[in-house]
Amino acid sequence: MLVRELAEFDFAVLAIAGGPTPVLRWELPPNARVAWIPVWEGGDPSLTLEPGLAWTDVRRRARRTTDEEIERRFVPPFRRILRALRDPAEDAGSACHALWRFGRSYHWKTAWLSRPAWRAFADDQAAAAEESDERFMPSVADLTTGMQWLYNLLLPLAAPLPRAGLVHATIASSAVLPGIVAAHEHGTPLVVTDHGVSIRERYLAVSATEMSAYGKRLLIAVGALLSRLAYTHAACVAPVANYNRRWEERYGATPERTRTIYNGVDPNLFVPRPKPESTAGRPTVVAAARVMPVKDVETMIEAAAVARREIPDVRFLVYGATDVDLAYTERCRALVASLGLEDTFVFAGFHARPAELYAEGDISILSSISEGFPYTVLESMACGRPVAATDVGGVREALEGAGIVVPPRDPEALGQAVVRLLREDDLRLALGRRGREEVLARFRTARSVEHYRSLYEELMPA
């Protein structure tokens, strides 16, 4: 949206990716170019992050990266980052900058695989565990995994930095590291936009795993450090909902540097339409959601069972990818089968025309345990479909007076909200009209874009 609508700005997009050859989802307009940062790719980052770098230059860097140089130039800032993982008062921004400067002249992977780096990490982690309790004492396997995680999550520090008038990070995670470097190297202002709150979602994800206590603590510490870096170094923190501020301010943002910019949708694209023949004769609930734990599709399935008790012919259509977390998808399919919902709850897959998706239902549903300011809620409102949604992130800020909000992970409450919206025609129609009016008044794409344009112009040097 920003790249296309802000044609007067050039965008150099540093895309955090799993591997080196992802596929672009959109055709790039002429004012944008993309460079990949493949944080989970196992090859030599010198070649993937700097495609024009000659192999002879890579070898020259590697020969230069001796243990002595690593001890002198890599280990001291690395130790400061390790201290910052357990001490919120330690500012790791200058240390990140120092590691980036190291990577401009030396070989990144050689440094991380060296004995000096391993000793620095192992000694620090052992000392930290001794200061707490034995649950956090790492095994050799823990340390090896932990070192690998740090290498991957800090890999953006190995990427060349395009010169820019402003850096805009769209999540307070590893993606903010180029902005930290730019702020120290060039004095470039940094804007951080939170959609979902990264550290909150890190807590949720880590708590659901079966990894060791040491591993959980390390991942949470890294997430907290990246959030502190983002919020303390940003010239402006621009969350998509006021809800996010409580987390941002806890991790270093200040009210005077925080400015909420709500997401927007195009009300000329997302418009009220009658239901198609395929769903016209049946009460239908639509969801636009990838099947993954943070969307809590299991609660949505259980809510469908609640709704079916009172509306036997109700149908739920869930549009979204089912291959994001295959194990979770199988759990959801098994739950559908165990509750006998095969004719009630349908995983409908990809929808080629998102603007028409919501017309298939009478209402839409959102069951997430974490959100920012979800586009799906705004899209449904623009289409005149009220939403039964969980009270997470900025959902209430969007949906107040245009839907029903219930506590997360409460299938009974969510199911009853669905029943009420489907049964009470006057309420459903009134909320649908109210939702459309709210989008027209407050949540247009043009309004959101104009706020970002003003912010860019305010912060960028003349």
Side-chain angles (χ1 to χ4, degrees):
M1 179 185 73
L2 291 178
V3 167
R4 292 190 183 281
E5 297 293 332
L6 298 179
E8 69 270 33
F9 294 94
D10 291 324
F11 288 82
V13 181
L14 300 180
I16 305 293
T21 56
V23 178
L24 281 171
R25 297 293 298 271
W26 296 280
E27 182 180 349
L28 288 177
N31 64 323
R33 63 187 188 276
V34 173
W36 307 110
I37 300 179
V39 292
W40 300 108
E41 195 267 329
D44 189 330
S46 301
L47 299 175
T48 53
L49 295 176
E50 301 182 67
L53 192 65
W55 178 245
T56 54
D57 291 330
V58 175
R59 291 183 63 114
R60 190 177 299 113
R61 285 186 186 180
R63 287 195 299 270
R64 187 186 302 135
T65 311
T66 63
D67 281 0
E68 291 75 17
E69 287 296 282
I70 293 167
E71 286 279 12
R72 189 163 66 94
R73 296 181 180 273
F74 181 90
V75 169
F78 183 45
R79 287 188 184 279
R80 296 207 304 275
I81 288 175
L82 293 174
R83 287 197 299 272
L85 288 175
R86 60 178 186 271
D87 182 2
E90 182 81 29
D91 179 13
S94 59
C96 290
H97 180 223
L99 287 187
W100 179 83
R101 293 296 297 269
F102 174 88
R104 298 302 84 224
S105 301
Y106 296 90
H107 193 250
W108 186 257
K109 194 166 188 175
T110 296
W112 280 87
L113 292 175
S114 69
R115 286 181 180 274
W118 172 258
R119 283 198 302 268
F121 178 70
D123 291 349
D124 177 272
Q125 296 300 285
E130 289 176 0
E131 293 172 3
S132 52
D133 63 64
E134 62 183 18
R135 289 182 304 137
F136 300 114
M137 182 61 70
S139 65
V140 173
D142 283 332
L143 289 173
T144 303
T145 301
M147 188 72 162
Q148 181 70 53
W149 284 342
L150 277 181
Y151 171 83
N152 292 124
L153 293 170
L154 296 181
L155 192 60
L157 294 176
L161 188 68
R163 190 68 182 265
L166 180 141
V167 176
H168 189 168
T170 58
I171 185 172
S173 68
S174 298
V176 82
L177 292 172
I180 301 300
V181 171
H184 283 78
E185 181 76 5
H186 304 300
T188 307
L190 168 65
V191 172
V192 178
T193 290
D194 272 325
H195 292 269
V197 179
S198 179
I199 182 59
R200 181 178 187 272
E201 293 182 359
R202 175 64 56 86
Y203 273 111
L204 290 169
V206 167
S207 67
T209 69
E210 297 181 359
M211 68 178 66
S212 68
Y214 166 81
K216 289 183 177 183
R217 186 173 73 165
L218 178 61
L219 280 181
I220 289 172
V222 174
L225 171 61
L226 292 170
S227 291
R228 289 197 304 272
L229 284 169
Y231 302 143
T232 58
H233 287 82
C236 181
V237 179
V240 297
N242 288 326
Y243 169 87
N244 294 3
R245 291 179 178 232
R246 69 187 72 182
W247 288 88
E248 293 160 347
E249 291 179 10
R250 179 171 181 174
Y251 283 87
T254 58
E256 60 271 15
R257 289 188 294 109
T258 305
R259 183 184 309 180
T260 299
I261 301 178
Y262 287 121
N263 292 333
V265 296
D266 184 352
N268 297 315
L269 179 63
F270 291 91
V271 298
R273 293 180 173 90
K275 288 175 69 177
E277 289 186 12
S278 59
T279 61
R282 187 170 182 180
T284 303
V285 182
V286 169
R290 290 179 293 174
V291 182
M292 55 194 300
V294 76
K295 301 299 181 182
D296 197 8
V297 178
E298 289 172 301
T299 287
M300 191 190 300
I301 294 166
E302 293 170 347
V306 171
R308 192 181 63 171
R309 291 200 308 255
E310 300 189 40
I311 306 177
D313 61 340
V314 69
R315 195 177 202 200
F316 285 63
L317 297 176
V318 181
Y319 287 103
T322 58
D323 59 355
V324 177
D325 187 329
L326 293 176
Y328 184 74
T329 297
E330 287 308 307
R331 273 170 47 193
C332 290
R333 292 189 187 279
L335 182 58
V336 168
S338 70
L339 295 174
L341 295 174
E342 291 90 344
D343 188 49
T344 299
F345 198 95
V346 178
F347 295 99
F350 174 73
H351 197 292
R353 295 177 297 277
E356 300 176 16
L357 177 159
Y358 301 94
E360 297 188 15
D362 301 281
I363 65 171
S364 71
I365 188 170
L366 180 141
S367 55
S368 301
I369 57 173
S370 183
E371 286 286 353
F373 197 70
Y375 281 101
T376 57
V377 168
L378 300 181
E379 291 165 356
S380 185
M381 291 166 62
C383 292
R385 276 12 183 220
V387 189
T390 47
D391 190 6
V392 294
V395 169
R396 181 179 291 275
E397 294 171 51
L399 206 53
E400 197 75 70
I404 297 179
V405 178
V406 302
R409 287 181 167 156
D410 189 338
E412 183 69 29
L414 189 59
Q416 289 301 327
V418 167
V419 169
R420 186 180 177 200
L421 288 173
L422 291 176
R423 279 188 167 171
E424 299 183 25
D425 295 345
D426 290 344
L427 174 65
R428 183 177 67 254
L429 294 173
L431 292 179
R433 286 192 299 270
R434 173 67 174 168
R436 174 75 179 173
E437 291 167 358
E438 284 293 294
V439 168
L440 292 173
R442 302 173 60 206
F443 305 130
R444 288 174 176 266
T445 298
R447 183 183 178 96
S448 180
V449 168
E450 192 51 44
H451 283 305
Y452 283 112
R453 176 180 282 111
S454 297
L455 180 59
Y456 284 9
E457 291 175 346
E458 175 187 326
L459 293 178
M460 291 180 74

